Amino acid sequence: MRVAVIDGQGGGIGRVIVEKLRKALPKEEVEIIALGTNAIATAEMLRAGANDGASGENAVVYNAERVDIILGTIAAVIAHSMLGELTPKMAEAVAKSPAKKILLHLNRANVEIVGSSTEPLPHLIDMMVAQVAEELRKRKGTEIQDNSPSESWRPSFALARRKLAES
């Protein structure tokens, strides 16, 4: 499965996403493509363990339709976000991509998502990684056996947390 992680500015959020993906998912089954709006963001994600990386508008536009999942913040679909680093073409390419998009709802782009969680960022990234793990299991055709009532609406979250804690 090919997963793109989109980030900009200093690449800190993308770096953490890549690190947690690497800890939670089998390296041989998940190819992580770092797509930075700038070279610094891309370099941070590559240092964290991304398989490959590219920077700039064309990199995002070209790769958005060639991956299975796109990860990042809600800014990835908002033109002129990330202090202007995310161009309208980038936002359009991500939005139009057939890839599943799993985005964090950070309010840096002055967009409020009604009903979104107020969990701290590390917990949100754990949830994101759990959703990617669930998607990988679905594609492989394996079932999750976790029936705890508190996690029933997001069965893979507890499993991903345990896997992260083990590593």
Side-chain angles (χ1 to χ4, degrees), residues 11 41 48 78 81 96 132 147 164:
I78 300 173
S81 60
K96 283 184 171 180
V132 174
N147 299 322
L164 286 169

Side-chain angles (χ1 to χ4, degrees), residues 146-162:
D146 184 352
N147 299 322
S148 67
S150 64
E151 300 289 343
S152 62
W153 64 276
R154 54 181 180 187
S156 61
F157 182 56
L159 293 175
R161 263 205 168 151
R162 276 181 269 180

Side-chain angles (χ1 to χ4, degrees), residues 69-142:
I69 297 177
I70 296 174
L71 305 177
T73 66
I74 193 72
V77 292
I78 300 173
H80 309 293
S81 60
M82 296 186 196
L83 297 175
E85 287 185 15
L86 202 108
T87 68
K89 285 184 182 178
M90 292 166 134
E92 180 181 15
V94 172
K96 283 184 171 180
S97 170
K100 181 172 192 142
K101 294 152 221 39
I102 304 173
L103 305 173
L104 300 170
H105 61 273
L106 300 182
N107 187 24
R108 302 263 337 249
N110 203 24
V111 173
E112 292 289 335
I113 308 294
V114 175
S116 59
S117 170
T118 58
E119 295 275 339
L121 181 59
H123 295 176
L124 294 174
I125 293 174
D126 288 343
M127 288 183 218
M128 173 185 269
V129 170
Q131 286 185 20
V132 174
E134 174 67 17
E135 187 66 26
L136 179 61
R137 280 189 280 280
K138 282 181 189 175
R139 288 169 188 247
K140 289 175 62 177
T142 57

